[in-house]
């Protein structure tokens, strides 16, 4: 068998058996010259290749190489002009993809034309554990004698000085070798009449001599194989066919457990479109990335013809991090889908990201790490938006393209699978929390989501429960801030007034030329700043959004001037007449000094509009001393019927986990109030309440009230314990599992105690019984 017949056999093969048959025939015909050499010419290369833990994420490296090949071809066509310092700039200059808006600004046809140059094809193979995955780019291609130094290399420096390409670490997509039985690589350089190819596999070595095997590639006379190009060959570009690719974890056609879903999620904002050909489920789609889908880009085959329904969206704005460069922040709040009879309400974020990790960090458009939803949910260390997060409606994007090289080194790992913990990630988390907390519309939407989750409850019963819980906690030696009251308030005798819900701000009608500009500061006093403090200042105007460009203040028709004690670290886009100015107080300031913050808006042929507010430098706030007595927040207890209830997501954050034996209750803190959700399907509760119902409704009602009371006590104590946790922290998943187990154990105890109280005919909390419990 000659090289041409062998190459055609490899390109026509649809499963590993056909590859093995062709390989055996070729080796038999060329026994003297055909051999296998270790990839990278390293006898021990497993450590360099087996760096990825996820088969689908590993595939993304091939996709990144595809897009780099397209840009390399365009660089050659344009003679390197203009000089581009990032893949995003190169895509804008040479592929006409707008730098800011990305692929969402293109038409369906324009995205399809780009996608035809970069194809991922999924074929059945022998099943989900042994798929055929083919990656095809019509980029610059590789000469046969350059295959070893590029796509077959390990940790080479081919792209390290090419700022217009994404590749950095010299892996060449080699991590995919670890997930397949055979990889066939075929490439033709643009303008060349030769096609180079080879086959990569894992080679076991004699166990008595070697500890481990190695990855090898096929050579003829110690070089990759090559043939003369024909009309049937690819005109230019590279084909990589992975036979026996293990996609056991990605068996679905769509969603988070599908190849299509992971491509859209990890290629969050690609510099060019990708065509996904799913021959397992017989459909094709254009992959433009989750960000572009969120921004309204719709292609053939997408579930919606109008894009996602959004309740709120803040476009990208950049935050200055000093010597570390800047970070771009944007976020979306998806509308909650209407319930469908007979179906569980889904979390809308799941269509775009991992809903449990809805904060995505990207570099060159690729997902390089995700932050859990706790940063959105937590009242203590997060943005205190628990209801938006639990409903799966928030997605945040952190664009790291403009970070300094040192910041990127501190933040990213070479595997691109997760960001590094440390100062840089903590700094970025802090900036995101600050931006989210400063958005009044998020507070209003979270309050609205909270109201959606609550059920009407009898006010007298609520007050009685608060009195009983307060008494139990005082018996345990705790000092209680009773609901909405003060330390002097006893047993809920005073009326509890709910905090009014935030009102959606009225829209500001845009006018050209604009007529007003104002800094929103309710207090008549000076704005206080202390050393190192960052504050977001709200600004309102009836100017159109194009009056302000947050990415280029020099191109903006708005000017921001601050006193010598402050500096501007960022501005948000002007949207609907509202924006935010980020001002930071310098570290070397004198307490008592003062100055002003001035905003100006220039109008063509008219006087500029302006507004100004005074500021003063104050002492930093004293750290709060931990009180020796415990202070407990207001609370509310909400029953959830079971997994089919829309509020099940508050009992169990994973809506797919419907095991009622595992989940008894959970709680959410928001704006100083603890919301306790409990499952009526929890076996111990269900057994007891049904037993009392068989006797009479009054006993069942009494048991339910007492069960809720004890759950409230346990939840308040548990919340206080979590708040005061110090020392070595467990990984988040392990810590949450321990708390789930503890909540279930305490629910069993609550059911036992409540049942015994009902049987004993106790009408109120007795101090001796409570102490014993």
């Amino acid at each position: 068998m000659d090289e041409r017949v062998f190459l055609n056999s490899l390109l026509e093969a649809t499963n590993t058996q056909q590859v093995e048959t062709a390989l055996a025939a070729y080796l038999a015909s060329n026994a003297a010259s055909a051999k296998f050499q270790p990839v990278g010419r390293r006898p021990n290369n497993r450590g360099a290749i087996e760096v990825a833990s996820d088969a689908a994420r590993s595939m993304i490296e091939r996709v990144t190489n595809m897009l780099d090949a397209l840009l390399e071809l365009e660089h050659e066509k344009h003679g390197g002009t203009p000089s581009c310092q990032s893949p995003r700039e190169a895509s804008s200059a040479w592929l006409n993809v707008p730098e800011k808006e990305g692929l969402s600004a293109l038409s369906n046809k324009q995205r399809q034309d780009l996608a035809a140059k970069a194809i991922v094809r999924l074929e059945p193979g022998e099943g989900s554990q042994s798929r055929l995955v083919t990656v095809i780019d019509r980029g610059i291609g590789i000469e046969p004698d350059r295959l070893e130094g590029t796509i077959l290399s390990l940790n080479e420096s081919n792209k390290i000085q090419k700022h217009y390409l994404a590749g950095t670490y010299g892996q060449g997509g080699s991590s995919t070798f670890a997930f397949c039985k055979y990889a066939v690589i075929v490439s033709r350089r643009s303008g060349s009449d030769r096609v180079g190819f080879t086959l990569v596999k894992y080679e076991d070595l004699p166990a008595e001599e070697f500890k481990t095997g190695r990855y090898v590639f096929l050579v003829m006379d110690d070089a990759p194989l090559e043939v003369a190009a024909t009309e049937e060959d690819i005109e230019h570009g590279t084909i990589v066919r992975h036979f026996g690719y293990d996609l056991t974890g990605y068996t679905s056609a769509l969603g988070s457990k599908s190849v299509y879903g992971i491509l859209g999620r990890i290629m969050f904002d690609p510099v060019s479109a990708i065509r996904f050909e799913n021959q397992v489920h017989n459909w094709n789609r254009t992959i433009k990335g989750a960000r572009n889908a969120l921004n309204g880009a719709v292609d053939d085959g997408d579930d919606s013809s109008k894009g996602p329904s959004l309740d709120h969206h803040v476009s990208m704005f950049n935050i200055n991090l000093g010597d570390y460069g800047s970070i771009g922040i944007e976020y979306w709040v998806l509308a909650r889908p209407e319930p469908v009879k007979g179906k569980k309400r889904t979390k809308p974020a799941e269509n775009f990201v991992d809903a449990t990790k809805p904060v995505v960090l990207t570099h060159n458009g690729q997902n390089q790490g995700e932050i859990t939803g706790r940063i959105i949910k937590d009242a203590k260390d997060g943005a205190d938006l628990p209801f938006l997060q639990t409903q799966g409606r928030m997605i945040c994007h952190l664009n790291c393209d403009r970070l300094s090289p040192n910041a990127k080194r501190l933040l990213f790992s070479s595997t691109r699978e997760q960001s590094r913990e440390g100062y840089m990630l903590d700094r970025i988390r802090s900036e995101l929390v600050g931006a989210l907390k400063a958005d009044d519309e998020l507070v209003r939407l979270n309050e609205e989501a909270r109201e959606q989750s609550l059920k009407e409850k009898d006010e007298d019963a609520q007050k009685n429960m608060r009195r009983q819980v307060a008494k139990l906690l005082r018996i345990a030696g705790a000092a209680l801030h009773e609901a909405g009251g003060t330390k002097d308030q006893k047993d809920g005798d005073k009326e509890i007034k709910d905090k009014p819900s935030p009102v959606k701000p009225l829209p500001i009608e845009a006018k050209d030329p604009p007529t007003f500009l104002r800094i929103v500061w309710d207090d008549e006093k000076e704005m206080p700043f202390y050393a190192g403090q960052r504050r977001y200042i709200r600004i309102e105007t009836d100017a159109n959004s194009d009056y302000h460009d947050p990415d280029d203040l020099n191109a903006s028709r708005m000017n921001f001037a601050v006193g010598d004690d402050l500096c501007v670290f960022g501005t948000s886009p002007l949207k609907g007449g509202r924006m935010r100015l980020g001002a930071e107080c310098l570290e070397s300031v004198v307490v008592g000094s003062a100055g002003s913050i001035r905003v100006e808006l220039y109008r063509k042929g008219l006087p500029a509009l302006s507004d100004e507010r005074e500021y003063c430098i104050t002492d930093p706030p004293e750290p709060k001393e931990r009180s020796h007595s415990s202070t407990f927040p207001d609370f509310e207890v909400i029953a959830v019927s079971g997994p089919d209830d829309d509020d099940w997501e508050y009992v169990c954050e994973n809506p797919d986990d419907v095991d009622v034996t595992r989940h008894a209750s959970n709680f959410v803190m928001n704006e100083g109030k603890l919301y306790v959700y409990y499952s009526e399907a929890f076996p111990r509760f269900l057994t007891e309440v049904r037993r009392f119902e068989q006797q009479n409704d009054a006993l069942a009602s009494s048991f339910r009230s007492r069960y809720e009371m004890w759950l409230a006590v346990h939840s308040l104590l548990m919340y206080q314990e979590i708040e005061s946790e110090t020392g070595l922290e467990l990984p988040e998943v392990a810590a949450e599992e321990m708390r789930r187990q503890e909540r279930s154990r305490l629910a069993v105890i609550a059911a036992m105690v409540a049942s015994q109280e009902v049987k004993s005919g106790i009408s109120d909390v007795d101090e001796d019984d409570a102490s014993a419990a």
Side-chain angles (χ1 to χ4, degrees), residues 560-573:
F560 311 97
V562 297
D564 294 339
D565 308 292
L566 308 180
C567 67
V568 173
F569 66 83
T571 62
S572 72

Side-chain angles (χ1 to χ4, degrees), residues 264-543:
R265 171 183 149 199
I266 304 304
M267 300 305 294
F268 190 80
D269 185 23
V271 296
S272 185
I274 302 150
R275 178 176 170 84
F276 180 61
E277 299 179 355
N278 189 335
Q279 296 187 6
V280 176
H281 301 96
N282 298 314
W283 50 257
N284 305 323
R285 292 194 180 183
T286 300
I287 293 175
K288 64 263 185 191
R291 178 183 184 245
N292 294 290
L294 285 163
N295 285 339
V298 178
D299 291 295
D300 294 342
D302 287 354
D303 294 336
S304 171
S305 61
K306 299 180 180 179
S309 178
L310 300 176
D311 282 343
H312 187 44
H313 172 219
V314 171
S315 302
M316 181 77 69
F317 61 98
N318 289 290
I319 301 298
N320 191 317
L321 303 180
D323 292 341
Y324 293 106
S326 65
I327 187 84
I329 297 176
E330 66 181 331
Y331 49 88
W332 302 261
V333 178
L334 294 147
R336 198 178 194 200
E338 292 297 324
V340 177
K341 188 175 181 180
K343 290 186 178 181
K344 194 186 308 178
R345 198 196 300 253
T346 59
K347 295 187 176 185
E350 290 176 340
N351 295 321
F352 306 95
V353 297
D354 179 345
T356 65
K357 300 175 182 178
V359 179
V360 178
L361 293 90
T362 66
H363 184 220
N364 295 324
Q366 182 176 335
N367 179 330
Q368 304 257 334
E370 298 160 332
I371 301 175
T372 68
R374 195 167 294 278
I375 193 173
I376 298 172
K377 180 178 179 179
D378 276 5
K380 181 180 179 183
D381 300 316
D384 195 16
L385 302 168
F387 294 94
L388 289 179
Q389 167 56 22
T390 304
Q391 290 181 359
R393 294 170 56 195
M394 270 211 78
I395 297 174
C396 303
H397 175 210
L398 300 171
N399 185 344
C400 303
D401 289 357
R402 297 187 182 184
L403 288 176
S404 69
N406 185 44
K408 292 175 183 177
R409 183 183 64 81
L410 293 172
L411 187 62
F412 298 132
S413 66
S414 62
T415 65
R416 297 191 176 108
E417 288 194 4
Q418 188 51 275
S419 49
R420 286 197 183 103
E421 292 290 336
Y423 166 78
M424 201 65 241
L425 186 57
D426 285 347
R427 176 77 182 272
I428 290 172
R429 284 191 186 112
S430 176
E431 296 296 344
L432 175 62
V433 169
L436 297 181
K437 281 188 169 182
D439 190 335
D440 291 337
E441 181 64 3
L442 289 180
V443 175
R444 188 192 70 79
L445 288 169
N446 184 73
E447 189 74 10
E448 186 178 86
R450 180 187 71 82
E451 294 298 330
Q452 291 172 356
S453 77
L454 300 182
K455 299 176 174 63
E456 292 184 2
K457 297 183 68 71
D458 181 82
E459 276 301 313
D460 290 336
Q462 278 287 88
K463 288 183 179 180
N464 182 61
M465 180 183 292
R466 289 188 178 101
R467 284 196 295 270
Q468 302 300 323
V469 169
K471 186 179 290 186
L472 286 168
L473 292 170
R474 279 198 293 273
I475 290 167
L480 176 68
H481 266 206
E482 193 150 359
T486 66
K487 290 183 179 179
D488 297 325
Q489 187 174 328
K490 302 294 183 180
D491 297 342
D493 294 330
K494 294 184 180 180
E495 181 183 358
I496 298 167
K497 295 182 179 179
D498 290 331
K499 181 180 176 180
S501 299
V503 178
K504 185 174 183 176
L506 295 174
I508 297 174
E509 182 181 352
K511 296 180 181 178
D512 199 9
T515 62
F516 78 87
L517 174 72
R518 59 174 170 255
I519 297 174
V520 181
W521 179 248
D522 297 333
D523 199 324
E524 294 182 0
K525 298 179 181 178
E526 302 163 318
M527 286 188 193
F529 279 89
Y530 58 85
Q533 182 188 15
R534 286 191 162 198
R535 180 191 288 280
Y536 281 92
I537 300 161
R538 297 173 179 84
I539 298 169
E540 293 182 349
T541 177
D542 57 356

Side-chain angles (χ1 to χ4, degrees), residues 67-198:
L67 301 183
D68 276 355
L70 297 181
L71 294 177
E72 190 74 273
L73 178 62
E74 294 300 323
H75 178 271
E76 183 174 276
K77 286 181 177 179
H78 291 82
T81 303
S83 177
C84 297
Q85 296 303 303
S86 72
R88 186 74 59 193
E89 285 184 23
S91 176
S92 176
W94 302 328
L95 297 177
N96 298 316
V97 178
E99 192 170 344
K100 293 181 182 179
E101 299 89 347
L103 293 169
S104 64
L106 301 183
S107 68
N108 188 329
K109 176 65 165 56
Q110 288 172 317
R111 287 192 294 270
Q112 286 181 348
D113 290 344
L114 288 173
K117 302 175 183 179
I119 300 169
V120 177
R121 182 180 297 143
L122 178 66
E123 299 180 56
E126 293 95 342
S128 61
Q129 81 289 351
S130 186
R131 296 289 191 206
L132 170 54
V133 178
T134 302
V135 178
I136 306 169
D137 74 70
R138 292 180 169 83
I140 194 164
I142 309 167
E143 288 281 12
D145 62 359
R146 289 288 298 142
L147 287 175
E148 271 201 73
T150 54
I151 199 167
L152 290 169
S153 68
L154 297 175
N155 307 120
E156 294 294 336
S157 304
N158 296 295
K159 302 178 183 179
I160 198 167
Q161 292 182 300
K162 297 180 177 180
H163 294 285
Y164 57 90
L165 302 181
T168 302
Y169 301 107
Q171 289 296 114
S174 60
S175 63
T176 58
F177 299 153
F179 296 98
C180 65
K181 296 176 182 176
Y182 301 99
V184 174
I185 300 172
V186 183
S187 192
R188 180 182 180 182
R189 178 70 158 79
S190 176
S192 174
D193 60 357
R194 305 293 293 176
V195 176
F197 71 101
T198 188

Side-chain angles (χ1 to χ4, degrees), residues 710-746:
W710 284 108
L711 277 186
V713 170
H714 293 149
S715 297
L716 287 162
L717 290 170
M718 193 171 181
Y719 169 74
Q720 182 205 34
E721 182 180 347
I722 293 171
E723 285 293 286
S724 61
E725 282 179 354
T726 56
L728 184 64
E729 294 185 359
L730 287 171
E732 188 172 312
V733 174
E736 181 51 40
E737 175 60 18
M738 287 183 61
R739 291 168 188 156
R740 181 199 64 76
Q741 294 177 12
E742 181 68 0
R743 290 192 298 267
S744 295
R745 185 183 71 84
L746 293 174

Side-chain angles (χ1 to χ4, degrees), residues 600-648:
E600 299 170 334
L601 189 151
Y602 301 111
R603 303 178 296 172
K604 189 175 181 179
L606 293 171
L609 300 175
S610 65
D611 194 13
E612 191 168 359
R613 291 289 185 277
E614 302 297 316
Y615 71 81
C616 64
I617 305 301
T618 64
D619 287 313
E622 293 291 332
K624 294 181 180 179
E625 295 184 7
R626 188 175 297 277
S627 174
H628 295 293
S629 61
S630 302
T631 301
F632 289 92
D634 185 13
F635 66 92
E636 187 162 346
V637 183
I638 304 103
V640 179
S641 61
D644 292 332
D645 193 313
D646 282 345
D647 285 343
W648 176 254

